[in-house]
Amino acid sequence: MSPELQAKVERLDTLLDSIAARHERVKLASSLAAEDMVLTHAILSRGVGIGIFSLNTGRLHAETLGMIERVKERYGYDIEQFHPQQDAVDAYVRDHGLNAFYESIDLRKSCCHIRKVEPLNRALSDVSAWVTGQRREQSVTRAELHEEEQDVPRGIAKFNPLADWSESDVWDYLKAFDVPVNPLHARGYPSIGCEPCTRAVRPGEDSRAGRWWWESRDTKECGLHITNIKIVEEAPSSAI
């Protein structure tokens, strides 16, 4: 491990300890992808008082779901799963079709709201802060990401401890600590969401290019990270 990465690891550990000390109830929202596995290891290997949950949308890859058992085997921890409300899913499929999200941004965001945002709101209903694995380097919608911010719509604090980490930092950490990783990463999926909305990326594309690839690059958020979207919408065109 390089001295630079060692310094980032020490700072990460200090930051997570500080978050847990400041907030009695705080959770990591895990996509079970690389960045969130860094945070999962940093939390569980050291017994930090931060809970971990995942949003089981009903349309995840089998490989992603398999990570829940791998975390349990490695750390003895059951990741809490939040599912969409079945009546809302049924109504969407009845009114629009199972894969209507390909037809328009509005229909895609509606599907994301049902399968991800509403379950997230339930997951965060009993906390005063949450933690994400977002990084500035991931996409244009995250370029102005802060390490600590206020989730105004939910009235809680939000922390992005890996905001200034590079992709190589993430993978060097995972290798150094032998952390389990989603096998989809080895198949060209740096960012992993629902199966029908995620593809492998091409050489030279940013890490989130495979998410909702049929949309323009500045709409690629699902609504979980509302503050990111607000920043992009309000930024001058030269900053996008």
Side-chain angles (χ1 to χ4, degrees):
M1 187 183 301
S2 69
E4 293 78 12
L5 181 58
Q6 182 62 44
K8 285 189 174 182
V9 171
E10 292 174 0
R11 188 170 186 281
L12 172 63
D13 290 345
T14 299
L15 178 57
L16 292 173
D17 289 342
S18 173
I19 294 169
R22 291 166 57 188
H23 296 275
E24 184 177 355
R25 292 285 294 170
V26 55
K27 296 178 182 177
L28 164 67
S30 173
S31 67
L32 302 163
E35 287 82 3
D36 294 320
M37 290 307 301
V38 168
L39 294 172
T40 294
H41 179 83
I43 291 167
L44 297 181
S45 66
R46 300 172 49 252
V48 181
I50 297 176
I52 304 175
F53 71 90
S54 187
L55 303 177
N56 188 336
T57 66
R59 304 209 68 179
L60 299 178
H61 297 78
E63 292 87 345
T64 299
L65 292 173
M67 290 299 296
I68 294 173
E69 186 59 32
R70 292 183 68 186
V71 168
K72 184 176 181 179
E73 291 173 356
R74 171 68 181 274
Y75 304 101
Y77 185 89
D78 283 308
I79 291 178
E80 188 176 12
Q81 298 183 62
F82 286 84
H83 301 260
Q85 301 284 4
Q86 192 59 49
D87 58 347
V89 172
D90 292 343
Y92 180 93
V93 173
R94 181 189 67 241
D95 294 342
H96 307 292
L98 180 62
N99 295 327
F101 42 80
Y102 292 128
E103 298 174 14
S104 73
I105 292 177
D106 284 344
L107 285 173
R108 195 271 291 170
K109 288 185 176 180
S110 178
C111 185
C112 287
H113 182 86
I114 291 167
R115 294 184 181 272
K116 300 177 74 174
V117 178
E118 190 280 330
L120 177 72
N121 290 340
R122 280 188 278 120
L124 299 178
S125 64
D126 62 346
V127 302
S128 60
W130 63 304
V131 178
T132 88
Q134 295 182 101
R135 295 185 295 108
R136 297 186 191 111
E137 190 183 78
Q138 287 172 324
S139 72
V140 65
T141 58
R142 299 181 176 182
E144 302 297 326
L145 187 69
H146 298 287
E147 193 174 79
E148 179 177 352
E149 56 190 335
Q150 185 68 18
D151 183 339
V152 176
R154 300 183 180 96
I156 60 177
K158 182 179 179 183
F159 296 91
N160 310 298
L162 304 182
D164 67 343
W165 282 43
S166 67
E167 185 175 356
S168 61
D169 289 336
V170 171
W171 285 97
D172 287 347
Y173 181 103
L174 294 170
K175 182 178 180 181
F177 293 100
D178 192 27
V179 180
V181 296
N182 192 319
L184 289 172
H185 290 307
R187 301 176 205 165
Y189 290 76
S191 179
I192 303 169
C194 292
E195 185 169 12
C197 297
T198 311
R199 65 160 172 80
V201 300
R202 303 182 182 96
E205 290 183 319
D206 72 51
S207 65
R208 287 179 64 81
R211 303 291 294 278
W212 310 294
W213 66 91
W214 62 92
E215 296 182 10
S216 65
R217 66 196 296 259
D218 59 354
T219 64
K220 295 186 177 186
E221 294 287 352
C222 59
L224 298 185
H225 305 296
I226 299 168
T227 49
N228 299 354
I229 299 171
K230 187 173 186 292
I231 288 169
V232 171
E233 289 176 343
E234 294 181 351
S237 58
S238 61
I240 296 178

